[in-house]
Amino acid sequence: IAIQDGNEVARYMSPLHASDVGDVLEAISPADRFELINLLGELFDYSALTEIDDSVRLELMDLLPNNDIARGVQELDSDDAVYILEDIEGGDREEILAALPTFERLALKRSLDFPEETAGRRMQTEFIAIPPFWTVGQTIDYMREADDLPDDFHQIYVVDPSYNLLGTLALDRMLRAKRPAVIKDIMNSTIIEVEAEEDQEEAARMFERYDLVEVAVVDETRRLVGVLTVDDIVDVIQEEAGEDIKRLAGVGNEEISGNVWNAVRSRLTWLGVNLVTAIMASLVIGMFDATIQQMVALAVLMPIVASMGGNAGTQTMTVAVRALSTRELDSYNVRRLITREFLVGVVNGVVFALVIGVVAAIWFANPLLGLVIGAAMVINMIAAGISGIMIPLTLDKLKIDPAIASSAFVTTVTDVVGFMAFLYIAAHAFNLF
Amino acid sequence: IAIQDGNEVARYMSPLHASDVGDVLEAISPADRFELINLLGELFDYSALTEIDDSVRLELMDLLPNNDIARGVQELDSDDAVYILEDIEGGDREEILAALPTFERLALKRSLDFPEETAGRRMQTEFIAIPPFWTVGQTIDYMREADDLPDDFHQIYVVDPSYNLLGTLALDRMLRAKRPAVIKDIMNSTIIEVEAEEDQEEAARMFERYDLVEVAVVDETRRLVGVLTVDDIVDVIQEEAGEDIKRLAGVGNEEISGNVWNAVRSRLTWLGVNLVTAIMASLVIGMFDATIQQMVALAVLMPIVASMGGNAGTQTMTVAVRALSTRELDSYNVRRLITREFLVGVVNGVVFALVIGVVAAIWFANPLLGLVIGAAMVINMIAAGISGIMIPLTLDKLKIDPAIASSAFVTTVTDVVGFMAFLYIAAHAFNLF
């Protein structure tokens, strides 16, 4: 880029795949990014912008003139264009849309009208729709002549005059059929479609379930309005899995390219919730301050009971949250799972009660203390198993995302039960009030 | 099933997609599953078995006669057949393979020879390979005549006589070309291929990166041996994301259908590790037992410092582990990220130091105690930020999966630093030794 020669740069960049161009853009400084795109001019393929981090893209969008962006997105399939436009603020977005030809503008506007993370927002409005009475030969000839075909496609949609979906035809089926065969007779008439308003996660589940490569998107009157392709769905699955992981740890949908303030904000809520639950646990300890004063060993040992319970609860909760989000957990197996988690709590509780009981008895040369911590451990591990499964299930029933809120509740239960059981039993065993 | 009438059952089941048949099998009792498959006999489509839980499938495999399984898997594409066979124990697997025709047997054996979770194990050995000098017309005619085509395919592989890959041709490109066009001239000669020994996760990353629908799998001599399809990759992505989530929480690759013993085993290791780290934290507290005896408020407040640090550390660590596993985190941005996490620690530390400082000062009517806990909070939040990013990075450098081991180390650091900082500062501030 130092050499400032557009042709030179273009020669290096043009054989690269859009993903690789995206990587180059991410690696260089913000000023160089803008420079590079300007140097490439019309040769710059805007699909590279769909491969870079949101924050980098937004920064670039601010720098680039709206007219250039309009020219760039016009070349893209509508799903990529929407992806780039959706994060641009109102005024700029209107200006870019206004600079587009009418047909493209209307298609993009319609997609942008659907809520974020729906099938309608992700769909591509370029697809091939043909009537059922055409023959294979006619269809092939049509495709050879037409010049507004989508960039890549894997199946053809068979529709009636009002664009209601009648069936689909995979390209490999068509290639295996003879030219005179009528589409109606060879098409797959088991209709799998998603509504445009549907959550993208639902659509992804359908792809997984039925091993799809493309699926039809229909509006509320069941008219075909677009298609969802598997490459977008792969991104959706990756995104949703990442969201689950981050939500479980209480970080908002944070990206590593975000700045300090984004990161602080995305974590404050969860840390605030945790502070409240930690104070609740402290209140429980405070109830036993006289007990602790007479036997400091209790203060030394009590975090062990709480920590083990917290971990066991998190394990159960994670399995439950993941199973809920992949829909493996349903009414058929929920009762079995609750029983299992209860038993796991009992078994792990007894195992670790024995270990910590012996350790504590020897450490403080006090067998009764070993018994006390062992009993508290069993109680807390069972509480952990039960709350680890019941809390996500309850939240899910209440339509609250269990990935976000479960941790806070589960660790509150295990902290409170852990400290309470240990200190209460100890107070009674050693007569310390 | 109660009616024991095969034809009746077949009439209900046959219009169902394999995934739906799988769901039916999972919902009914083990005895009914076996009964159902027997009733359906030759009508049972073994691909339903690829859609059910591992443990349910293994149970069924034990019950079904090996000959029936051999007949069933013979009908499947090789990737599905491998999926079913890979979990069957040695002797039974040999018997099933022996019952297959030579060609199928050799193909399946070759796939099974590749290690688990590699491209070679997941690939499908049915694909269409043609020479570069054929015309579009010849190719279409060949596909119309051939009867051993794969079930679904999206591109055609162009190879030289020794099966080295020369290029690929997507079906939509072929349909747009005229019959006399020569394959060589219209094929995509940018070759994207994976080695059979490659980890399936790497292959998945390639699909995401290049928006693929199918990719060629080659052996060490670069000969084409199979293809990976996107429907398998979607499963891989879902699986790997699930593994990350579960590893972070310290549950092995556990499925909700596993029994109590599986679950206990998969969690014992992590709980054991946690017990050791909890005891280490207790040793730190034990060093200050005289201090605590003189001021029980310290025992009441100390879990707050440790718990906040643990949560902040887990947040940072989760972001880092996820970024490492999706390869967003690399040498370009690692320095920036470490600085950011340090600053986030400072900011969140100061925020929560103020809150808890005021709470503690009022609660125990002791402003100095508020100062002490505030200072300890800032120190521990910074320790949390730094260990949350450095520990996963170090583990990754040492080729240890950061998802598995990071939590244990991070919480050890935040527990030890938390208790130590709080009690040490308190001991000095109040002169309690």
Side-chain angles (χ1 to χ4, degrees), chain B residues 48 50 77 85 147 153 305 321 324 354 392-393:
Chain B
T50 64
D77 272 345
L85 290 179
D147 53 2
F153 57 95
V305 181
V321 166
L324 281 169
L354 289 173
L393 279 176

Side-chain angles (χ1 to χ4, degrees), chain A residues 289-323:
Chain A
D289 54 355
T291 312
I292 292 173
Q293 187 135 34
Q294 295 169 67
M295 193 171 187
V296 177
L298 298 180
V300 175
L301 291 175
M302 68 185 184
I304 297 179
V305 180
S307 154
M308 291 297 284
N311 271 278
T314 304
Q315 291 181 330
T316 302
M317 178 198 79
T318 303
V319 173
V321 166
R322 180 71 189 157

Side-chain angles (χ1 to χ4, degrees), chain B residues 32 142 152 155 164 181 195 239 246 271 273 319 381 410 418 421:
Chain B
D32 282 350
Y142 162 74
D152 298 295
Q155 62 183 15
N164 283 308
E195 279 197 37
E239 243 178 71
K246 289 177 186 166
L271 289 173
V273 171
V319 173
M381 293 296 253
V410 172

Side-chain angles (χ1 to χ4, degrees), chain A residues 19-20 23 144 151 173 177 209 238 250 256 258 267 270 274 282 300 311 315 322 336 340-341, chain B residues 19-20 23 144 151 173 177 209 238 250 254 256 258 267 270 274 282 300 311 315 322 336 340-341:
Chain A
S19 287
D20 300 318
D23 279 357
R144 286 193 181 136
D151 277 355
R173 304 280 148 200
R209 194 174 168 82
Q238 217 26 305
I256 61 160
R267 300 180 197 178
W270 174 246
N274 184 60
S282 289
V300 175
N311 271 278
Q315 291 181 330
R322 180 71 189 157
R336 205 182 60 76
R340 186 187 83 168
E341 291 306 322
Chain B
S19 287
D20 300 319
D23 279 357
R144 285 191 182 138
D151 276 356
R173 303 280 150 198
R209 192 172 170 84
Q238 208 40 294
E254 186 183 312
I256 60 161
R267 299 180 198 178
W270 175 246
N274 184 62
S282 289
V300 175
N311 271 279
Q315 290 180 332
R322 181 71 190 155
R336 203 182 64 75
R340 184 186 84 170
E341 290 307 322

